[in-house]
Amino acid sequence: MKLKYAILLLTLVAFFNGRSQQVIPIETKDFSMVFKTDQNKRLWNVYFGKKLSNLSDYNQIADQYEFPNSNAGIYNAAYTPSGTWSLSEPAIQVTHADGNQATDLIFEEVITTEVDEASLTKIKLVDPIYNLNIILNFKVWKDLNVIEQWTQINNNEDGSIDLKKYASANLYFTNKDFFLTHYQGEYLRELQPVEEKLSQGTKVIESKLGTRAMLLGSPNFMLSFETPSQEDSGLVVLGQLAWSGNYKLEFDIDSHQNLRLLAGINPYESTYTLNKGESFKTPSLIYTVSDKGAGNASRQIHSWAKNYRVLDGNGDRLTLLNNWEATYFDFNESKLSKLIENTSHLGLDLFLLDDGWFGNNHPRNNDDAGLGDWKENKKKLPNGLRYLVKQAKKNDIKFGIWIEPEMVNPESDLFKTHPEWVIKQPERPAKLYRNQMVLDLTNPEVQDFVYGIVDHLFTENPEIAFIKWDCNAVIYNAYSNYLNENKVSQNHLYIDYVHGLYDVLKRIREKYPKVPMMLCSGGGGRADYGFLKYFTEFWPSDNTEPIERIFLQWNYSFFFPAVTMDCHVTHWGKQPLKFKVDVASMGKLGFDIDLSHMSQEDIQFAKQSIQNYNGFKNVVLHGEQYRLASPYKNPFASLMYVNNDKSQAIMFNFLSSNRFMEIMTKRPIKLKGLNPDKHYKVKEINLYNNTKTTINESAVYSGDFLMTVGINPNITGNRTSVILKFEEVN
């Protein structure tokens, strides 16, 4: 079976070889992308669309399109070279060993094998003059309609070459009319959607921040064909560049109104030198295709992520209490011990100690000192972390801790001892972001230091059960003393930093493969599938105001499953506790609260809601998600999760507008994802203490009724948050 696809593909290639053309289909269950060579052995992307029944039919596709070359070169190259026959924006731009900047690429071979429950097709292109070859890689999970695409560039020339541009993917779509949804934002307003119809020219989405590269924008995108995006209909490509550094996405409408998509590392200040015999592997563009709208595309990428990418994607998640908003930097053993008791009293799984626990010569009493000095502050914690770990164990809960190991404050022993470890121009004044700078992870010594922070924590306290990994600074004054000393171009900094960070995370996971870790960056600055190989979850935003969180979590839901999203109840917002808990229950539930500031009624409700969450969280974290009513189009939001055998579903409903005339749901909301032939009873859960439901809980509904007619959750000004549980009845 291993060579099944290779044999089939090579048979197809041989069939067309007599016509001096070769056809290469990349097929999922429902869709195909087809490449074809011409008489000069150049490779073209001739089709992207519904899968054809007969392989031989793919040879006829190119003849049906009339797109003259004109003076811009042919647009639909499989991987557009620079400096020769094409004047289009290149996917690859190289300065060869002899200084020549022109590259041509012709097809040499294709091999397809089975790898990790997927098929992997490798297409080899070569320069006919220079000893340079490029491998286009397509890893396909057929049943999920998911493709992971990357490029490998191999230098076999007689000397070093400079890669000036090196895209991960070069896609081409001939469907008429394209609508792009991209996601811009800022701190506390991450992942804000913008949908626009693309017109002739190039739309560029990019980042140059170095770290927290997604803070102001995102490498996530959604392409809708023919019409604006719809939840349950229409052709959609939903994707992400899985890279944790600077990225660049280019959406180019050509003179024939077709779309070229180039995606990869941002080449800004990143010309990369490859010595003779070296290879460069680009990050992956991961995308899924659906002709049933964005909802189906999301479920496909969610399933892929849980099964094949996210660390422990099908595992459980720990509910927790975080001390950050309860204490900020002002705490001691007594305060923390009380919060540990509160964690147990509420019925949560873990206490998370946040920022401020370290630093002695430069105590971490605010964010301007101590970062980098990872020793317990003796004044705050005279008995060290070990005492708190024991307190957690005594209260039958687990203990977790916050770190920010990539960063340093100038006011720290680390900076004063190793100023050369910091990314900074040597002759220019330091530019700080949140009073800190970025450590130079291109340097193996720094990598060892960062790894050692985590390793020391676990060595000294092996019962630590959770890590919150933060990152709050971007890269200013980009310069590496290490690269300079080793005579490596400064243009390697942005790329080698990310590779260095990945290497550290690989080492951590090799020694500590199962410890849950949260990926934090103040918000959406780091939610990507390059990182999520090493992390179990991420922090969507420091903005925990629950109305805002409805919108934020809605936007994240297009690309990430609920099991990856940390959603906390905090003191932000004027909504009642029930509303806050219900919003946070749409992902991995956590609390940032101090029970001493809560009424007994709220404490009682919180305890009950945690029990309720533990009863249904498996449906939320591991079921299929369906977006029912968008808060962008309605004064309310509705979203549901359905378990695998469709015997249970959880429906979340929220009033998201405070306009007087829009404070109720006037019509039923249609459910999705149920079995039309099954029958269900409905029960309202997470009711506040002694509150009665207005839902008829004695009624039995068919799945067909619930999906065709729907149910009204009775959202009103007094019922702003309603969770409904549907269970199959015989």
Side-chain angles (χ1 to χ4, degrees):
M1 287 294 294
K2 185 175 181 180
L3 295 178
K4 172 184 174 183
Y5 297 110
I7 293 170
L8 179 63
L9 194 54
L10 290 174
T11 300
L12 181 63
V13 168
F15 176 81
F16 291 116
N17 200 35
R19 306 181 191 182
S20 71
Q21 293 178 320
Q22 297 183 353
V23 176
I24 306 170
I26 308 295
E27 292 187 318
T28 70
K29 176 171 63 74
D30 301 311
F31 300 93
S32 61
M33 175 166 46
V34 181
F35 300 97
K36 185 177 181 179
T37 62
D38 63 12
Q39 64 274 17
N40 297 315
K41 296 180 68 177
R42 293 195 178 105
L43 188 66
W44 310 108
N45 188 331
V46 297
Y47 181 70
F48 188 102
K50 290 285 287 184
K51 178 180 177 181
L52 301 184
S53 300
N54 299 311
L55 288 173
S56 59
D57 287 345
Y58 288 125
N59 190 54
Q60 312 299 324
I61 291 176
D63 297 336
Q64 307 307 311
Y65 294 89
E66 292 291 338
F67 300 131
N69 305 356
S70 71
N71 65 329
I74 300 174
Y75 296 118
N76 62 324
Y79 200 69
T80 311
S82 173
T84 49
W85 51 267
S86 177
L87 301 180
S88 300
E89 181 65 29
I92 181 74
Q93 192 173 3
V94 178
T95 300
H96 296 280
D98 64 359
N100 195 307
Q101 299 189 64
T103 300
D104 197 3
L105 295 173
I106 60 174
F107 172 79
E108 182 169 283
E109 65 176 352
V110 57
I111 297 175
T112 300
T113 56
E114 292 180 348
V115 179
D116 302 330
E117 300 182 51
S119 66
L120 176 61
T121 297
K122 293 177 173 288
I123 301 174
K124 185 177 182 180
L125 306 177
V126 299
D127 190 304
I129 295 176
Y130 292 96
N131 204 354
L132 171 76
N133 69 71
I134 290 171
I135 311 295
L136 306 182
N137 296 268
F138 302 86
K139 191 172 184 179
V140 179
W141 288 266
K142 294 198 172 189
D143 289 343
L144 297 174
N145 293 312
V146 170
I147 299 174
E148 181 178 7
Q149 183 174 345
W150 70 93
T151 302
Q152 182 173 318
I153 303 164
N154 303 307
N155 174 27
N156 296 310
E157 297 186 24
D158 290 334
S160 63
I161 65 173
D162 287 335
L163 305 180
K164 302 177 79 172
K165 190 173 183 182
Y166 31 91
S168 300
N170 183 169
L171 302 179
Y172 192 71
F173 309 98
T174 56
N175 314 64
K176 193 172 183 294
D177 294 332
F178 303 91
F179 295 82
L180 170 66
T181 303
H182 55 100
Y183 297 83
Q184 303 302 304
E186 59 184 313
Y187 179 59
L188 303 181
R189 296 186 70 253
E190 296 85 358
L191 217 72
Q192 302 296 309
V194 178
E195 185 173 39
E196 58 186 287
K197 184 177 181 180
L198 295 172
S199 57
Q200 188 167 338
T202 304
K203 174 74 176 183
V204 177
I205 310 295
E206 65 176 343
S207 174
K208 300 173 183 175
L209 300 181
T211 58
R212 298 190 74 179
M214 303 171 202
L215 181 62
L216 303 180
S218 170
N220 299 295
F221 66 91
M222 182 163 55
L223 277 173
S224 180
F225 300 83
E226 315 298 343
T227 64
S229 62
Q230 303 293 323
E231 185 66 21
D232 299 307
S233 63
L235 182 61
V236 166
V237 173
L238 185 152
Q240 180 199 87
L241 184 73
W243 177 245
S244 308
N246 294 342
Y247 58 84
K248 190 171 190 176
L249 308 178
E250 298 168 278
F251 301 87
D252 178 23
I253 299 292
D254 65 26
S255 59
H256 303 298
Q257 305 307 304
N258 298 317
L259 173 62
R260 299 173 71 238
L261 167 56
L262 298 173
I265 293 173
N266 195 331
Y268 168 75
E269 298 293 346
S270 294
T271 296
Y272 206 85
T273 300
L274 276 188
N275 296 321
K276 180 179 180 180
E278 290 184 340
S279 298
F280 184 88
K281 179 183 176 183
T282 71
S284 295
L285 179 70
I286 297 164
Y287 54 99
T288 187
V289 190
S290 165
D291 60 358
K292 299 180 180 66
N296 184 59
S298 292
R299 288 185 289 278
Q300 290 176 167
I301 205 74
H302 292 174
S303 182
W304 170 84
K306 288 184 284 188
N307 287 295
Y308 302 108
R309 179 52 58 99
V310 175
L311 184 68
D312 196 25
N314 289 308
D316 197 5
R317 295 294 184 266
L318 300 168
T319 57
L320 61 82
L321 177 69
N322 188 2
N323 72 297
W324 179 241
E325 291 196 21
T327 67
Y328 295 100
F329 295 100
D330 182 18
F331 56 79
N332 54 34
E333 280 183 355
S334 176
K335 281 186 180 181
L336 296 180
S337 295
K338 184 61 178 176
L339 288 171
I340 288 172
E341 292 175 8
N342 290 344
T343 306
S344 178
H345 180 66
L346 287 173
L348 296 164
D349 300 318
L350 178 139
F351 172 74
L352 172 61
L353 174 59
D354 213 290
D355 195 358
W357 58 268
F358 50 90
N360 288 291
N361 293 330
H362 307 277
R364 183 74 169 172
N365 295 324
N366 47 49
D367 67 6
D368 64 5
L371 203 57
D373 300 345
W374 299 101
K375 298 288 185 182
E376 297 99 318
N377 181 283
K378 294 177 181 178
K379 184 175 181 180
K380 293 181 183 179
L381 305 176
N383 296 298
L385 293 175
R386 190 169 300 175
Y387 172 81
L388 298 176
V389 173
K390 288 180 178 178
Q391 287 295 103
K393 188 173 183 179
K394 178 181 174 182
N395 283 274
D396 199 26
I397 61 169
K398 299 180 184 297
F399 181 83
I401 196 162
W402 177 98
I403 54 174
E404 192 174 2
E406 301 164 68
M407 306 293 161
V408 64
N409 289 126
E411 288 299 313
S412 67
D413 289 341
L414 177 65
F415 182 79
K416 296 180 188 309
T417 304
H418 289 291
E420 77 281 4
W421 280 9
V422 172
I423 294 175
K424 177 187 176 298
Q425 289 283 343
E427 302 300 328
R428 299 186 187 278
K431 168 70 174 175
L432 305 184
Y433 192 109
R434 201 187 168 191
N435 300 309
Q436 63 194 53
M437 294 186 287
V438 181
L439 292 174
D440 182 6
L441 277 169
T442 71
N443 185 339
E445 283 189 277
V446 177
Q447 294 173 28
D448 289 342
F449 171 78
V450 173
Y451 170 79
I453 294 168
V454 178
D455 190 45
H456 178 77
L457 283 171
F458 285 129
T459 301
E460 293 295 309
N461 305 280
E463 291 179 302
I464 286 178
F466 188 85
I467 296 286
K468 178 181 177 181
W469 184 299
D470 212 342
C471 166
N472 284 291
V474 299
I475 293 178
Y476 291 115
N477 287 322
Y479 182 88
S480 164
N481 186 68
Y482 170 79
L483 293 178
N484 179 61
E485 288 184 348
N486 287 273
K487 301 187 182 336
V488 177
S489 169
Q490 292 296 321
N491 284 331
H492 283 220
L493 173 58
Y494 287 121
I495 297 170
D496 287 354
Y497 180 92
V498 179
H499 286 159
L501 178 54
Y502 286 166
D503 287 343
V504 170
L505 293 169
K506 287 175 189 174
R507 290 173 63 187
I508 291 171
R509 283 311 177 192
E510 285 169 2
K511 189 170 182 180
Y512 308 102
K514 296 183 179 180
V515 177
M517 292 207 305
M518 177 204 293
L519 181 64
C520 185
S521 187
R526 277 194 156 183
D528 74 83
Y529 285 119
F531 267 135
L532 284 170
K533 288 186 278 189
Y534 312 108
F535 291 84
T536 51
E537 57 218 68
F538 69 89
W539 181 239
S541 178
D542 275 356
N543 185 344
T544 55
E545 201 285 334
I547 293 289
E548 294 297 328
R549 269 293 180 130
I550 291 171
F551 288 84
L552 281 165
Q553 291 168 201
W554 181 273
N555 297 333
Y556 278 107
S557 77
F558 284 92
F559 303 95
F560 300 100
V563 72
T564 63
M565 282 192 268
D566 286 328
C567 308
H568 288 191
V569 179
T570 74
H571 295 296
W572 283 45
K574 298 179 180 179
Q575 297 80 6
L577 179 65
K578 170 180 164 49
F579 192 99
K580 297 178 179 182
V581 171
D582 288 356
V583 171
S585 295
M586 291 193 291
K588 182 202 141 175
L589 178 64
F591 287 77
D592 274 71
I593 55 175
D594 184 349
L595 267 62
S596 66
H597 298 158
M598 295 172 61
S599 67
Q600 285 303 311
E601 290 78 9
D602 274 358
I603 292 173
Q604 180 183 341
F605 170 76
K607 292 175 65 175
Q608 184 59 52
S609 67
I610 292 163
Q611 290 182 24
N612 292 340
Y613 176 80
N614 287 332
F616 66 70
K617 70 174 180 178
N618 192 56
V619 180
V620 171
L621 299 182
H622 302 302
E624 288 198 322
Q625 177 199 76
Y626 295 85
R627 290 179 291 268
L628 307 180
S630 169
Y632 289 97
K633 298 178 181 179
N634 303 280
F636 55 87
S638 184
L639 184 146
M640 68 182 288
Y641 302 86
V642 184
N643 69 352
N644 292 335
D645 66 3
K646 302 183 185 300
S647 63
Q648 285 189 335
I650 305 294
M651 180 188 186
F652 294 88
N653 307 275
F654 304 100
L655 184 66
S656 52
S657 169
N658 62 359
R659 295 187 63 191
F660 176 72
M661 297 302 292
E662 295 183 336
I663 59 171
M664 65 179 64
T665 46
K666 301 176 182 178
R667 297 176 177 84
I669 297 173
K670 296 177 183 179
L671 277 64
K672 301 173 187 177
L674 301 176
N675 185 329
D677 299 322
K678 289 186 175 184
H679 288 79
Y680 300 88
K681 290 194 72 172
V682 60
K683 179 179 177 63
E684 184 172 355
I685 56 177
N686 265 24
L687 285 161
Y688 196 76
N689 312 339
N690 302 317
T691 303
K692 293 185 178 181
T693 182
T694 63
I695 302 294
N696 181 1
E697 295 184 342
S698 64
V700 174
Y701 304 96
S702 70
D704 179 58
F705 177 90
L706 291 169
M707 293 189 292
T708 304
V709 177
I711 191 169
N712 193 325
N714 297 336
I715 292 288
T716 69
N718 295 319
R719 284 171 51 83
T720 57
S721 170
V722 175
I723 301 180
L724 301 180
K725 182 177 183 179
F726 296 83
E727 287 195 288
E728 179 186 0
V729 295
N730 295 322

